[in-house]
Amino acid sequence: MDSLTLSLLLALGAGSTIPLGAHLASVEHIRQRWLEDEFRHSVIAFGGGVLLAATTLVLVPEGIHELSMVWVILSFTLGGLGFFLLDRLIAQKGGSVSQLMAMLLDFIPEAIALGAALALGKPTGILLAFLIAVQNLPEGFNAFREIKASGAHRKSTILISFWAMILIGPLCAYLGHEVLSQSPQILGAMMLAAAAGIIYLTFKDIAPQAELKAHWAPQLGAVIGFLVGLIGHMLTL
């Protein structure tokens, strides 16, 4: 199997955990109070921990590898400001999609990096696909619950859209494999911009949503989420 086909299949498989997480979140009649409280907050915290791991262990290290200090500062600053403005625009329109934005900010650059890694013959591609799949499950769960809570869309519509998001993975992997593998500076700038956006969204929306008074599972969920990302990173060394 050639590297392009492998990257497309791995990205497709990694993206399939997005709708799986959404379907898990769509269960509303099994111990609903427990699901809404401790379990939901723990999943949010777990997703935040994995996002933090992806940022500190994948996006930032890969992003700074090919860029000068000036471009690192510029890319990271523009990324943070860009998603601040986007968040303000969404808030003005009465929407709340921070979990969805964080999921796509994570999924898109990592799928691109997956394609680029396999194009360059790096052995980290398969393990990166595994890490993406682990991240997408809680992120799909959290994003579904957030959109469903807004009341703007029916459950079936949300689930269909999440299944359609699977196609984002192969498209990004193709872009990384065929185009950006030859432009490491552009790829690095994209990763740093995404990392800044994830940090902004984590501290703006995701971390506050994970808080639950007199409970410790959410905090432990964040630690476990980061640990999963750390294990995936160490396996690629």
Side-chain angles (χ1 to χ4, degrees):
M1 182 182 299
D2 63 271
S3 61
L4 176 58
T5 302
L6 180 60
S7 66
L8 296 179
L9 290 176
L10 288 174
L12 184 66
S16 66
T17 56
I18 293 176
L20 291 179
H23 278 285
L24 177 62
S26 69
V27 178
E28 299 176 346
H29 302 293
I30 301 177
R31 301 184 66 183
Q32 184 171 347
R33 183 175 179 181
W34 176 72
L35 177 63
E36 289 291 341
D37 293 334
E38 186 126 4
F39 182 68
R40 179 176 179 273
H41 285 76
S42 298
V43 172
I44 290 174
F46 178 83
V50 176
L51 281 171
L52 184 60
T55 300
T56 58
L57 301 175
V58 179
L59 296 178
V60 171
E62 291 290 333
I64 66 177
H65 185 66
E66 298 289 344
L67 297 177
S68 66
M69 179 67 73
V70 172
W71 280 106
V72 167
I73 295 172
L74 184 62
S75 300
F76 199 82
T77 301
L78 289 178
L81 289 175
F83 285 96
F84 160 73
L85 295 174
L86 180 60
D87 184 50
R88 288 291 300 274
L89 179 62
I90 292 172
Q92 289 174 0
K93 293 182 178 296
S96 178
V97 290
S98 59
Q99 298 280 355
L100 178 62
M101 289 172 59
M103 178 178 68
L104 294 178
L105 276 173
D106 188 30
F107 183 35
I108 289 174
E110 287 192 349
I112 292 173
L114 165 65
L118 292 176
L120 297 173
K122 295 182 179 180
T124 60
I126 295 177
L127 292 173
L128 182 57
F130 171 75
L131 181 59
I132 295 171
V134 172
Q135 294 166 187
N136 281 341
L137 185 64
E139 290 165 14
F141 179 98
N142 295 332
F144 176 90
R145 301 292 292 185
E146 183 180 60
I147 297 173
K148 182 69 166 54
S150 70
H153 303 282
R154 295 191 305 173
K155 180 173 74 173
S156 59
T157 302
I158 302 172
L159 290 174
I160 290 172
S161 66
F162 273 47
W163 277 106
M165 288 180 192
I166 293 178
L167 298 177
I168 294 175
L171 289 174
C172 291
Y174 180 85
L175 177 63
H177 190 282
E178 296 296 303
V179 179
L180 292 178
S181 61
Q182 306 303 318
S183 304
Q185 291 82 9
I186 296 176
L187 182 60
M190 289 177 57
M191 288 185 171
L192 286 173
I198 289 174
I199 291 174
Y200 171 83
L201 292 171
T202 298
F203 285 92
K204 164 68 168 51
D205 290 311
I206 297 176
Q209 289 185 53
E211 182 182 4
L212 191 60
K213 293 182 180 180
H215 291 270
W216 296 270
Q219 294 89 323
L220 292 175
V223 174
I224 294 171
F226 190 91
L227 177 60
V228 170
L230 179 60
I231 292 171
H233 172 70
M234 293 185 69
L235 290 173
T236 64
L237 296 179

